[in-house]
Amino acid sequence: MKIHLQGDFSSLISGIQALQEELAFSLGEEGVPLTIKQREGKSLQVSLDNGSGQIIYGDKVCFYRAFGIFIENFQKKQADFHIVEELQFSTIGPMFDLSRNAVMNLPSFQRMIRKLTLMGFNSALLYMEDTYEIKKEPYFGYMRGRYTQEELKKLDDYAHEYGIELIPCIQTLAHLEEYLKWSAASHLKDTRGVLLVESDETYIFIDQMISSVSKPFRTKRIHIGMDEAEELGRGVYLNKFGYKDRLDLMTSHLAHVLAIVKKYGLSPMMWSDMFIKLASSTGEEHYNMSTAIPEHLVEKLPEDVQLVYWDYIHVNEDEYERMIMKHKAFGKIPAFAGGIWVWNSFGTNYGLSLRTTEAALKACKKEGVQDVFVTLWGDDGFENNCFTALLGLQMYAEHAYCRELEKDKLRDRVKYCTGIGEDSFLYLNELDQIPGVSPGNNVQTNPSKFLLWQDVLLGLFDRHIEGMDLRSHYSNLENKFKEIRNANCSLDFIFDVPEKLSAVLSIKADIGLRLKKAYDEKNLIDLEGISAVDLPNIMKEVEELRKAHRDQWFRINKPFGWEVLDIRYGGLIKRMETACKRLCDFIDGKIDCIEELEEERLYFNESVKNSTGLGWCSYYYRIASPNVFFHVLPLY
């Protein structure tokens, strides 16, 4: 397709040219005439009349969404069309977790920015606990893939070209375990992850953080974090200064941080959960719908900080409305952050993610929320990746440009913007929504993670899957992934790991149950078959999975952090080698029993008996073994 641009497009031409390969078009005077006009406002108009096109747009990001819509509809060989959209929010964008080992490399991040551009996002949060450079603190982000100031500036320049505001999101209180573990930071530490408040050295350090992270970005907005700081004042602080009410510590610390933010002319946001928790009857409850916000708490929150209400679990619109109303008690409308569940699993939980998104964004529109974000966390080493969330991101984008979501339009748009169909993305859901899990997977069960990493001799989750035909499920899923592969799609590589993981789980998922049954029955023929055939086959498939995962990681991320997954895969293979040795020794009569298989299989989560899921575990080290991986020291 050729396009002949007309009108005022000088400020857009470099971005348009960069999208030529992505959208399969070229520029030339013999092309379809397309007139471009800019007007004030948050709307866009796209039309084709008698072979001539027109785009009328407000913000720059609206132009790029409109440009994609024009090409999409023209390529469908439709008759004349006229499309009008109105942006429902002032800010709409994803939050990328760049702190849980997976730090996106620059080419990958730029690819993501182009996708966000076509969808119509106008912002993105970069969640960086210690993965940005502080020149005077060499241990800050040491060997963690931290971004240099120059790299962040390149990303900001690239995003700005498309009208996307990049916003740094850091931590100025809790979630700093990865920096505070170093002896060089011991003077800043209250507990493992919480800074020592009311300390001059701490505020000198926070000044360095805010100065360093804000410098590469054009935006004056900054997210200062401060969520999940339940340990505040309970470590070194308690021993050194004695007990002090957490609310007083929180508000005093916030005042110090805001003074630093103001010094650099920045506009702050912060997570709201600690204030909501401190208002609850126990001081710990985040989502207690009966919690009332007392006047004394309202008075303690400074006016010059925007609260960000995060919620990824509720599926009913009225629950979001009620929580937004609680936030309004602080005197202003909060920002909202939902989530696409890419974390703590190899699968992407679209069953839950799409339901929560629909409910949350309807409530945000009804309650006048103007700043909306969608989080893509990477807990426990980020075995998944943010590109698998693109269907969820597209849903946020489509909601942002209409009062009511049009599901057919969502289906068409995600196919156009990503090259991948909606159904293909939904296959990722089936890695965890297996037999035994209720439709929708509302309880966040994650068998794709625990069935891969659990030990074949210890079988900590074997009781959870008794009587389920997982071999057929994962074998069928492997075939589904094979059928949708498309070498011509630039994002096809995101299905390589799910395909190979399905191949592994089709033979590994129930191997522990088969092993235990054969051992209990003293069926030496089956035990020999498992040791000589099944376990070697699983090891072979795991190695293929590891290589695919490694290729995907280095394509998307910086190398730092991959060593964690290399160690996990290596440990899994070596444990199966040990299982083969143990089985052979038993079959040959060298040992009288296999003690690991003598043990009764218990539930990992006993509550699973009353659940619609199959259990959940957030941590690899708990899945792999019930024994000690590391000695847990006191909080500080």
Side-chain angles (χ1 to χ4, degrees), residues 51 71 85 199 289 609:
I71 296 176
E85 295 182 340
S199 163
M289 295 297 167
K609 291 182 287 187

PDB file of all heavy atoms in Angstrom, residues 51 71 85 199 289 609:
ATOM      1  N   GLY A  51     -11.956   7.479  -2.313  1.00  0.00           N
ATOM      2  CA  GLY A  51     -10.553   7.176  -2.550  1.00  0.00           C
ATOM      3  C   GLY A  51      -9.573   8.108  -1.884  1.00  0.00           C
ATOM      4  O   GLY A  51      -8.358   7.916  -2.006  1.00  0.00           O
ATOM      5  N   ILE A  71      -5.038   2.588   7.897  1.00  0.00           N
ATOM      6  CA  ILE A  71      -4.431   1.530   7.082  1.00  0.00           C
ATOM      7  C   ILE A  71      -5.174   0.209   7.279  1.00  0.00           C
ATOM      8  O   ILE A  71      -5.439  -0.523   6.308  1.00  0.00           O
ATOM      9  CB  ILE A  71      -2.943   1.382   7.425  1.00  0.00           C
ATOM     10  CG1 ILE A  71      -2.188   2.664   7.068  1.00  0.00           C
ATOM     11  CG2 ILE A  71      -2.337   0.188   6.702  1.00  0.00           C
ATOM     12  CD1 ILE A  71      -0.732   2.658   7.453  1.00  0.00           C
ATOM     13  N   GLU A  85     -13.448   8.639  17.417  1.00  0.00           N
ATOM     14  CA  GLU A  85     -13.172   8.122  18.758  1.00  0.00           C
ATOM     15  C   GLU A  85     -12.809   9.273  19.684  1.00  0.00           C
ATOM     16  O   GLU A  85     -12.251  10.286  19.251  1.00  0.00           O
ATOM     17  CB  GLU A  85     -12.033   7.104  18.745  1.00  0.00           C
ATOM     18  CG  GLU A  85     -12.340   5.834  17.989  1.00  0.00           C
ATOM     19  CD  GLU A  85     -11.198   4.827  18.039  1.00  0.00           C
ATOM     20  OE1 GLU A  85     -10.047   5.239  18.314  1.00  0.00           O
ATOM     21  OE2 GLU A  85     -11.449   3.641  17.790  1.00  0.00           O
ATOM     22  N   SER A 199      16.332   9.146  59.320  1.00  0.00           N
ATOM     23  CA  SER A 199      17.792   9.122  59.304  1.00  0.00           C
ATOM     24  C   SER A 199      18.286  10.082  58.227  1.00  0.00           C
ATOM     25  O   SER A 199      17.827  10.015  57.076  1.00  0.00           O
ATOM     26  CB  SER A 199      18.304   7.710  59.021  1.00  0.00           C
ATOM     27  OG  SER A 199      19.650   7.721  58.621  1.00  0.00           O
ATOM     28  N   MET A 289     -14.008  -3.913  52.340  1.00  0.00           N
ATOM     29  CA  MET A 289     -15.008  -2.974  51.839  1.00  0.00           C
ATOM     30  C   MET A 289     -15.707  -2.196  52.950  1.00  0.00           C
ATOM     31  O   MET A 289     -16.348  -1.178  52.695  1.00  0.00           O
ATOM     32  CB  MET A 289     -16.053  -3.729  50.989  1.00  0.00           C
ATOM     33  CG  MET A 289     -15.476  -4.343  49.728  1.00  0.00           C
ATOM     34  SD  MET A 289     -14.814  -3.112  48.574  1.00  0.00           S
ATOM     35  CE  MET A 289     -13.899  -4.152  47.433  1.00  0.00           C
ATOM     36  N   LYS A 609      -8.594 -28.235  48.790  1.00  0.00           N
ATOM     37  CA  LYS A 609      -9.745 -29.134  48.807  1.00  0.00           C
ATOM     38  C   LYS A 609     -11.062 -28.372  48.706  1.00  0.00           C
ATOM     39  O   LYS A 609     -12.064 -28.916  48.249  1.00  0.00           O
ATOM     40  CB  LYS A 609      -9.717 -29.975  50.092  1.00  0.00           C
ATOM     41  CG  LYS A 609      -8.584 -30.995  50.132  1.00  0.00           C
ATOM     42  CD  LYS A 609      -8.600 -31.838  51.390  1.00  0.00           C
ATOM     43  CE  LYS A 609      -8.154 -31.049  52.601  1.00  0.00           C
ATOM     44  NZ  LYS A 609      -8.010 -31.908  53.817  1.00  0.00           N
TER      45      LYS A 609
END
